[in-house]
Amino acid sequence: MLLIYFCEVIPAENGQQAWTYLEDMQNSIDLVLTEVVMPGVSGISLLSRIMNHNICKNIPVISK
């Protein structure tokens, strides 16, 4: 058996750019992978924004 799953990865240069993508595509993002230390908006601040947003708060976040 062969299972194939296609997904799109959207790279972001910094936390602010990631947040902009999340706001624009809030219903299309399935998972956020982020660093804790990033230029501009940190990973912790990004996580806080995600958790406080009515729609984005349900998106799983993995941080390192």
Side-chain angles (χ1 to χ4, degrees), residues 36-60:
V36 173
V37 178
M38 295 186 296
V41 175
S42 72
I44 301 299
S45 295
L46 179 61
L47 177 60
S48 178
R49 289 181 185 191
I50 291 169
M51 291 173 55
N52 290 313
H53 191 274
N54 287 333
I55 296 173
C56 293
K57 68 182 177 185
N58 295 318
I59 300 172

Side-chain angles (χ1 to χ4, degrees), residues 27 29 31 33 35 47-48 58:
N27 292 322
I29 303 295
L31 175 68
L33 300 173
E35 301 269 343
L47 177 60
S48 178
N58 295 318

Side-chain angles (χ1 to χ4, degrees), residues 6 9 16 24-26 31-32 34 40 43 45 51 60-61 64:
F6 294 97
V9 175
Q16 183 58 49
D24 290 343
M25 302 178 65
Q26 53 194 317
L31 175 68
V32 174
T34 184
S45 295
M51 291 173 55
V61 177
K64 89 167 196 164

